[in-house]
Amino acid sequence: MEIKQFYPLFEEGRILKKDALDMIRDYAPDFFSLLFRDYGDGVVAGFQISGQGREIRVSPGILKSGSSFFCMREEARLEYTMQGRMVQIMLRKLGDSATADFQTQCYGLSLEPVRVPGAGEYELGRFLLEQGARLRTYEDYKDFNDLMTGFNTLNPVYIRFACENDSTLSPFILRLYGKGVLHSAKAEPLDLSFAALCLNSPIISSELICNYIAAREHSEGSPQGNLQMYQCLARLYTRLVSGGEVRRRPRGMIGKTIID
């Protein structure tokens, strides 16, 4: 069976056809739907936060909500006026509308006191900024343990990233974990394998994170939600990177364990 794919060509002197415009209209939604149709709700890419003075900036990004995708194409800016209070950056679905020519998805972006997000609401990070302080964000973290500093630091732990059948921790958080553990002399083969995945995979499912935690902590229960996953990883990180856990050599190995 022969299957064909068509691409519209826009060249000088050619007549603009409705079919060509329909292909452009349908390509992006079809692409996202096919690539991420089995993913849960959450951030697909982008929405990175930075701060300058009282201005909070949110970079362009893509969000999956239900069966639809919302693409914020330009940087957004919010004014921070709640010094001394823990706030969260919230992206909220406001609704859809349609005209004869366009269908519109409307989202609201706001800074508000921390609370549990409701249906159609997605946190993009939280922080408590003191008067005159600069917001520390992605390029300022020292290591994995620096993510939940009490003051003046963006906390990305509660950001839901879309993964297969669920949501998961930000890839940035897992890269920090992998970077620290991969250079630890106390890491075991399972830790090194997981650390390599953290550094090389664009997204790691919550199921895989929970299985790794269960194997390392020899527990049957699974952490529920981003905070518990982060707390479990933080305990392991402390033991492996700055604690007293000693690497056990696999059976049959003689001599020292060598790490390149």
Side-chain angles (χ1 to χ4, degrees):
M1 181 178 65
E2 184 180 53
I3 301 175
K4 296 181 179 180
Q5 179 169 273
F6 298 93
Y7 298 94
L9 300 176
F10 299 98
E11 298 179 351
E12 185 177 355
R14 304 288 297 176
I15 297 174
L16 184 62
K17 297 182 175 63
K18 177 180 179 298
D19 289 345
L21 295 177
D22 288 342
M23 288 181 187
I24 295 176
R25 178 200 64 196
D26 295 337
Y27 178 78
D30 288 348
F31 174 81
F32 283 121
S33 180
L34 288 171
L35 193 60
F36 301 108
R37 63 183 175 183
D38 294 329
Y39 278 43
D41 291 356
V43 174
V44 175
F47 295 115
Q48 292 198 355
I49 309 301
S50 60
Q52 184 160 350
R54 296 175 61 181
E55 185 177 72
I56 304 300
R57 300 177 180 180
V58 183
S59 74
I62 302 171
L63 176 81
K64 184 175 187 292
S65 180
S67 60
S68 65
F69 296 87
F70 172 70
C71 182
M72 190 174 82
R73 295 180 175 85
E74 298 181 357
E75 180 182 78
R77 302 185 180 189
L78 300 169
E79 184 180 5
Y80 178 65
T81 59
M82 293 180 281
Q83 281 82 3
R85 297 182 64 186
M86 181 68 75
V87 299
Q88 61 190 166
I89 304 165
M90 189 74 80
L91 184 64
R92 179 185 299 107
K93 187 172 184 178
L94 301 179
D96 300 334
S97 62
T99 66
D101 297 315
F102 295 100
Q103 181 174 346
T104 303
Q105 291 182 325
C106 189
Y107 280 75
L109 188 65
S110 61
L111 278 171
E112 54 189 66
V114 170
R115 60 177 176 80
V116 177
E121 296 181 326
Y122 302 90
E123 180 178 331
L124 302 180
R126 62 179 63 182
F127 59 89
L128 193 161
L129 193 61
E130 297 175 303
Q131 185 71 37
R134 183 181 70 88
L135 180 63
R136 299 171 63 245
T137 56
Y138 298 96
E139 69 277 5
D140 300 312
Y141 298 120
K142 296 177 182 178
D143 58 22
F144 181 81
N145 288 324
D146 201 24
L147 292 166
M148 292 190 71
T149 303
F151 300 93
N152 310 322
T153 303
L154 178 72
N155 177 348
V157 170
Y158 296 88
I159 303 173
R160 294 168 54 196
F161 264 74
C163 70
E164 192 168 358
N165 300 318
D166 205 347
S167 61
T168 188
L169 289 168
S170 163
F172 179 83
I173 294 175
L174 295 166
R175 281 195 291 272
L176 283 180
Y177 182 85
K179 183 178 179 180
V181 170
L182 196 63
H183 292 88
S184 170
K186 304 163 190 173
E188 298 187 1
L190 178 59
D191 301 310
L192 297 176
S193 297
F194 183 74
L197 280 175
C198 289
L199 292 172
N200 291 319
S201 300
I203 196 75
I204 296 179
S205 71
S206 54
E207 181 181 8
L208 179 56
I209 296 171
C210 291
N211 286 338
Y212 164 69
I213 292 169
R216 282 301 274 115
E217 296 195 329
H218 308 289
S219 61
E220 296 182 359
S222 295
Q224 302 296 317
N226 280 17
L227 179 59
Q228 287 190 16
M229 282 193 291
Y230 172 79
Q231 289 172 335
C232 291
L233 290 175
R235 287 196 299 270
L236 289 171
Y237 189 89
T238 298
R239 282 157 45 190
L240 295 172
V241 179
S242 57
E245 187 161 306
V246 178
R247 170 177 292 180
R248 297 189 297 272
R249 291 194 296 271
R251 293 180 180 178
M253 287 190 65
I254 301 176
K256 297 181 180 179
T257 300
I258 299 175
I259 303 175
D260 294 330

